[in-house]
Amino acid sequence: MLRPLPPHHRLLALAMLALTLCCGTIRAGEPPMISVRVEQRGGAFIVDACGKIPVAPATAWDVLTDFEHMASILNNLSESRIVNRNGNTLTVQQHGTAHYGPFSYDFDSLREIVLEPRRRIVARQISGRAKQFSSVARVTPVKDGTQLRYHAEIEPDGAAGRWFGRPFVQDEINEQLTLMAREMLRREKTISAPESGTAK
């Protein structure tokens, strides 16, 4: 039976992760990998993540902004829906449960999402269990794909901060971004499949 790593080993693993180069490339046939760095400042967590994904920017954008179907993409969401839309400004409500080992954490949030089409997604929490949440996701066309950069500042409620800490935030962000990258790859393959068939 696998046993949890001692606290000092977990910290060492996190330190080694922080030394890895950002923006690793995801190649066709490989599991998506996103480089995630988490820094704790007092009770808040500062997240910076990035990865190069071999999909068209339009595909990446469509997945990142598919809020009505986000619960089918991310395994920590039970509900996600747009409750208001005013041009490129959306109000999105989400409910879900985050898991870390044998522990779980129920959450709900109401967020304002401002879209700069196919370039940037800015989000801030209006209400929810976290004390504060804001994030910026950037989509940039690069050779053979799309570069995704994500920055977030999260201040969880006191209980979550005490129970879970930085390893939980690291694990959760990495898993959810990886799931979105996989969905991007799946959709890109679906789009290109008819074109391949036509070319024969």
Side-chain angles (χ1 to χ4, degrees), residues 49-162:
C50 57
K52 180 182 174 184
I53 309 168
V55 299
T59 303
W61 180 264
D62 288 346
V63 171
L64 292 169
T65 59
D66 193 1
F67 299 108
E68 290 290 341
H69 300 98
M70 198 62 73
S72 66
I73 299 171
L74 302 183
N75 59 11
N76 67 343
L77 288 181
S78 57
E79 180 184 5
S80 178
R81 61 192 181 98
I82 299 171
V83 296
N84 189 50
R85 184 190 296 267
N86 182 13
N88 288 329
T89 300
L90 315 176
T91 304
V92 176
Q93 187 172 48
Q94 295 181 331
H95 301 282
T97 303
H99 298 276
Y100 185 66
F103 305 103
S104 62
Y105 174 75
D106 294 330
F107 65 88
D108 61 86
S109 70
L110 186 68
R111 296 178 185 175
E112 178 188 76
I113 312 289
V114 179
L115 307 178
E116 295 180 17
R118 298 193 179 183
R119 290 183 53 204
R120 196 166 76 133
I121 303 164
V122 180
R124 69 173 184 89
Q125 178 177 276
I126 299 172
S127 63
R129 287 197 64 177
K131 290 182 179 179
Q132 186 267 343
F133 173 90
S134 61
S135 70
V136 179
R138 290 181 172 85
V139 174
T140 305
V142 294
K143 183 179 179 181
D144 299 325
T146 300
Q147 183 183 85
L148 171 64
R149 289 185 178 273
Y150 178 78
H151 174 83
E153 298 184 9
I154 308 163
E155 186 176 358
D157 64 32
R162 289 193 302 272

Side-chain angles (χ1 to χ4, degrees), residues 22 34-37 47-51 148-151 173 177:
C22 191
I34 305 292
S35 294
V36 180
R37 299 178 183 180
V47 178
D48 284 288
C50 57
L148 171 64
R149 289 185 178 273
Y150 178 78
H151 174 83
I173 296 294
L177 290 179

